[in-house]
Structures are given as C-alpha cells and as structure tokens.
Amino acid sequence: MADGLQITLYCFAGIGVVWVLVKILALMAACWKYFGRGVADVNQRYGCQGNSWAVITGGSDGIGKGFAEVLAQQGVNVCIVARNEEKMGNVAGQLKMLNPEIQTRCVVADFAKSYQEDFYPRLMGKIEDLDICLLVNNVGVVHVSREADLTEQQIRDLINVNIVSHAVLQKYVVERMRARSQRSAIINLSSYSGEHYAPMYSLYSGSKAFNNYLSIATSEEEREKVDIISFRPMWVQTPMTEGSNGAGVIDPITAAKCCLRDLPYNRWTIGHWKHALNTWMLEKYPTGAYLAASMNVGIKMAEDRKKK
C-alpha cells in the first residue's frame, strides 16, 4: 500500500516538474521573441536590394507609413498605393531624406472604388514593371458605430477596402512572386479585434477576422516561395485610432519593426510585448464581462469622435 502511494506521489511530482519546465521554456521563448530577436533583414531573405520593391497599400499614414520608413532605412525601394496624391508625395520626400539611395513611387488608387471592373487590372498595370519582393496589405477603414446605424454605402466601402482589396491584390501579387528566384513576403494587416469580438467595431472586427484567416491559410498554400504573416496589433497611434495614448499604445514605426521581426518565423504575430501581455490578460475575462467592457469603450470612442 505504501509503495503504491509512493509511486503515485512520484508520478504527480514528475508531472509537476514537466509542467514547470514547459512553462519555463515557454517564458524563455517569449523573452527571446520579444527582446532577443532583431528586425529581419528583408534584403537578405527576400532579395529586396537593387531593383526590387516593397509595395505598401495605405502607406501615406499610420502603420503603412511606419513600414515605409523602416524599409527605407533598410535600403528597400518603396511604392506607396493610396488615394491622396499630395500626402503620398510628402511621405515619398521623407523617405528620400531617410535614405537618398532608394527609389520611390506613388500610385493613386481609391480602394473604395475597387468594385469597378477594371480597377485591379489598371492598378497592376501601374506596377507591372516592379519586381515585388514584399507586399504590405495595409489599407483599411474603420467605423465606430452600431452595425445597424451604418449606411449601406459605408458597409460596402468597408468591405471593398478591408476585405476585397486584401484578397484580390494578394492573388495578383502572389502570381508574380511565384516566378521570382528568391523568396518573397506578404504582410496582411489584421487586428486584435479580428480574433476577439469588438462591439461598436463589429464590421471592422469581422473584416479583420477575414484578413487573419485568409493570411494564415494562404501562408500554407504558398509556403514554398512566399512568407505570409497576419499582423494582429492592438492600439497603435494612427489617424484611424484618433491618436490614442496610453501605456499599451505603440507608435507605427515600433509596430512595423515588431512585425518584421517575426515575419520569417511566424504565420501570425501580435507584435509588441505590451500587446501580447494585454491580450493574455483580456483572454482571462469571462466573455460577457469582456463584451460589456468593450461596448462601453466603443460607445465612448464614438461619442469622442462626434465631438471632433
């Protein structure tokens, strides 16, 4: 009897030791990921030097601009695709100041009008001569509102910008990336809200869930030649978030660096350690409490936007 009890205790002790070791290894892996890894050298892995280009949609503001600046500093030629020609020109000038050696190109395109039959053929024609080593599918819009209070046009525009553009542009660019001699990469901008329900951001949240699932699934489909990652940050200081501030908010350049750090290794990333920690804590909330708290935050954001 005593021997049986002793064996049982040894088994439980062994399980406890294994559990502790697993947790320690997970903590060490997280520390290496968030504090040990550097930003990936896209020139070396994806052949982005010389006449190759990074194409960034929505690159005149926010996270897209952050990617443009980080890539320019690495010596990558940058093509910005956005609807505001003046803003794109200003950003292109800033990139040349950061690195006079790079080339820049600005392509005017309003993705809200991508329902037009010739929209994507015209867009691809404007970048037909570029060897695209990296695509940042960043363009997006958000409405802070109850879904039923949006107009039909707002719903259609958001779907065209946030969903259709990511899927169709990725399709056309992947077709060209398959023919490259080196690996290529695609970064699809999703969001924390694409994995967790977001009242008052319901349509945006649904679109980001689409981006996330599309990205992870196609990362397996194209793994032989293309690294595809879903980037799911929380709050970043951008015009879309009305310049949010707080302990968990990061700037666009930091966000871009965190994503590029994980690009060669992961199918998805939250990015910054602050966002990973916030996500871990929020996942401990009961669903009902989380939804209620999110709803209150969303209502306050909507009221603040109306005041502005």
Side-chain angles (χ1 to χ4, degrees), residues 20-54:
V20 170
L21 287 173
V22 168
K23 294 298 180 182
I24 290 174
L25 289 172
L27 180 60
M28 291 173 63
C31 288
W32 168 249
K33 173 180 177 178
Y34 293 112
F35 305 108
R37 275 186 200 165
V39 177
D41 184 347
V42 297
N43 287 320
Q44 182 177 359
R45 183 169 178 84
Y46 306 116
C48 287
Q49 69 276 10
N51 292 321
S52 296
W53 291 71

Side-chain angles (χ1 to χ4, degrees), residues 2-284:
D3 289 343
L5 179 60
Q6 192 173 29
I7 291 171
T8 301
L9 291 174
Y10 282 146
C11 288
F12 278 113
I15 292 171
V17 169
V18 171
W19 184 86
V20 170
L21 287 173
V22 168
K23 294 298 180 182
I24 290 174
L25 289 172
L27 180 60
M28 291 173 63
C31 288
W32 168 249
K33 173 180 177 178
Y34 293 112
F35 305 108
R37 275 186 200 165
V39 177
D41 184 347
V42 297
N43 287 320
Q44 182 177 359
R45 183 169 178 84
Y46 306 116
C48 287
Q49 69 276 10
N51 292 321
S52 296
W53 291 71
V55 174
I56 305 172
T57 64
S60 59
D61 263 325
I63 296 176
K65 183 183 176 185
F67 274 106
E69 293 184 8
V70 174
L71 291 168
Q73 289 173 337
Q74 286 198 18
V76 181
N77 300 321
V78 176
C79 174
I80 301 171
V81 184
R83 62 181 178 178
N84 190 312
E85 189 170 9
E86 182 179 356
K87 287 172 68 174
M88 281 193 291
N90 291 336
V91 173
Q94 293 169 20
L95 298 180
K96 292 288 283 185
M97 290 179 66
L98 282 174
N99 190 343
E101 301 299 317
I102 67 163
Q103 301 177 65
T104 62
R105 181 179 296 186
C106 299
V107 176
V108 177
D110 183 356
F111 286 96
K113 298 177 181 177
S114 61
Y115 58 84
Q116 296 171 348
E117 189 174 346
D118 64 341
F119 180 87
Y120 288 101
R122 279 190 288 111
L123 172 57
M124 294 307 296
K126 293 176 181 178
I127 57 175
E128 186 176 12
D129 59 316
L130 303 185
D131 174 40
I132 303 172
C133 62
L134 173 63
L135 168 67
V136 183
N137 246 336
N138 167 76
V139 67
V141 295
V142 63
H143 301 297
V144 187
S145 168
R146 289 175 170 82
E147 194 269 342
D149 293 337
L150 296 172
T151 66
E152 182 178 336
Q153 190 60 52
Q154 286 176 315
I155 293 172
R156 290 180 182 277
D157 286 349
L158 187 145
I159 290 171
N160 280 321
V161 175
N162 292 17
I163 294 178
V164 177
S165 74
H166 284 233
V168 178
L169 195 56
Q170 175 174 284
K171 166 202 158 43
Y172 283 122
V173 172
V174 163
E175 288 176 350
R176 291 171 54 175
M177 287 178 167
R178 287 172 177 170
R180 298 186 76 236
S181 58
Q182 287 191 256
R183 292 192 68 79
S184 306
I186 295 175
I187 297 169
N188 287 319
L189 260 291
S190 180
S191 166
Y192 166 83
S193 66
E195 274 290 290
H196 301 81
Y197 321 112
M200 300 296 288
Y201 294 85
S202 50
L203 197 62
Y204 175 81
S205 176
S207 71
K208 292 304 171 180
F210 174 89
N211 298 152
N212 182 51
Y213 280 84
L214 172 74
S215 186
I216 294 173
T218 53
S219 71
E220 179 64 21
E221 294 173 0
E222 303 300 331
R223 64 188 176 88
E224 291 185 8
K225 293 295 296 285
V226 186
D227 292 335
I228 301 177
I229 191 170
S230 171
F231 185 27
R232 306 187 326 216
M234 296 184 79
W235 292 104
V236 180
Q237 291 172 333
T238 69
M240 187 180 288
T241 58
E242 301 288 344
S244 299
N245 293 299
V249 181
I250 63 175
D251 63 84
I253 291 178
T254 299
K257 287 180 176 179
C258 288
C259 181
L260 289 170
R261 175 200 67 209
D262 295 335
L263 175 58
Y265 308 103
N266 302 103
R267 297 177 190 270
W268 64 270
T269 182
I270 292 170
H272 200 276
W273 67 266
K274 291 180 182 179
H275 292 180
L277 181 61
N278 286 338
T279 298
W280 179 81
M281 291 190 296
L282 288 172
E283 286 175 347
K284 308 304 175 188

